[in-house]
Amino acid sequence: MKIPPGATSFCPPPTSLRPGSFRGPTLRHTFRRNGTKDWLLIYTRAGSGLYRFPGGDFRSRPGDITLYRPGFFQDYQISPEARKWDLFYAHFLPRQDWLPWLNWPKKSPGLMALPLKEPALRRRVALRLRDMIRLSAGSTSRSQVFGQNALEEVLLWCDSI
């Protein structure tokens, strides 16, 4: 499969946590034939993302949280129908004790998704993901650990549904 025109295949180096957010209509098309060496979590706050995979596709809706396993094909972009995608994301290397919490329903090999249906759970997850970004960017010696702690809570909430 060739990289689609306009897509990027940039593969960030693995770190314990690299979080961020995106809001708007201009997210680039990301295409990684062999994925990344870390896990990638994406939480759709508004709009929609289009995830393509061999044999199909998936469109995220607000409240959907997706997870890519390391080393698996990644092809995602703003859904053309929605024309915007507001999201939180985290590239991360999980601690060993987190691994049982990462067995979500599969959309394809390496791509999993959970719909967070309860409004209270959506708010809680969005708040902790926002905290993850803020805390990990702090200037304390434990900034990354505080960010990981917020991500850990998100993963625990997802594992509880």
Side-chain angles (χ1 to χ4, degrees):
M1 207 174 217
K2 292 178 11 183
I3 296 176
T8 181
S9 63
F10 171 72
C11 186
T15 62
S16 57
L17 178 63
R18 194 173 27 339
S21 65
F22 177 81
R23 173 178 240 156
T26 58
L27 181 71
R28 68 178 182 258
H29 179 176
T30 300
F31 180 92
R32 298 179 183 118
R33 184 180 310 359
N34 298 310
T36 58
K37 293 181 180 181
D38 54 13
W39 293 72
L40 172 58
L41 178 143
I42 302 173
Y43 176 70
T44 299
R45 298 176 347 186
S48 178
L50 171 60
Y51 297 80
R52 291 187 183 98
F53 47 85
D57 61 39
F58 165 69
R59 284 170 178 73
S60 67
R61 293 180 290 195
D64 286 347
I65 189 165
T66 58
L67 190 60
Y68 278 110
R69 288 183 177 278
F72 282 89
F73 177 81
Q74 295 178 6
D75 182 355
Y76 59 91
Q77 67 183 70
I78 293 171
S79 176
E81 297 83 12
R83 290 187 250 154
K84 79 169 195 163
W85 194 11
D86 296 351
L87 58 91
F88 290 122
Y89 69 86
H91 285 271
F92 67 99
L93 295 173
R95 291 195 329 244
Q96 197 68 27
D97 58 321
W98 294 6
L99 294 176
W101 308 336
L102 303 178
N103 291 317
W104 298 1
K106 291 181 181 169
K107 293 292 180 182
S108 75
L111 174 62
M112 299 163 285
L114 281 175
L116 305 183
K117 296 180 180 177
E118 295 179 28
L121 179 58
R122 286 183 184 192
R123 283 190 298 275
R124 191 176 300 121
V125 164
L127 175 66
R128 292 307 284 155
L129 290 171
R130 189 175 292 116
D131 288 345
M132 171 193 66
I133 294 166
R134 179 181 53 79
L135 292 165
S136 66
S139 59
T140 71
S141 62
R142 301 279 188 231
S143 295
Q144 282 285 300
V145 177
F146 284 118
Q148 287 174 318
N149 180 259
L151 175 60
E152 180 178 31
E153 187 176 335
V154 167
L155 296 175
L156 280 168
W157 283 114
C158 289
D159 189 54
S160 71
I161 57 173

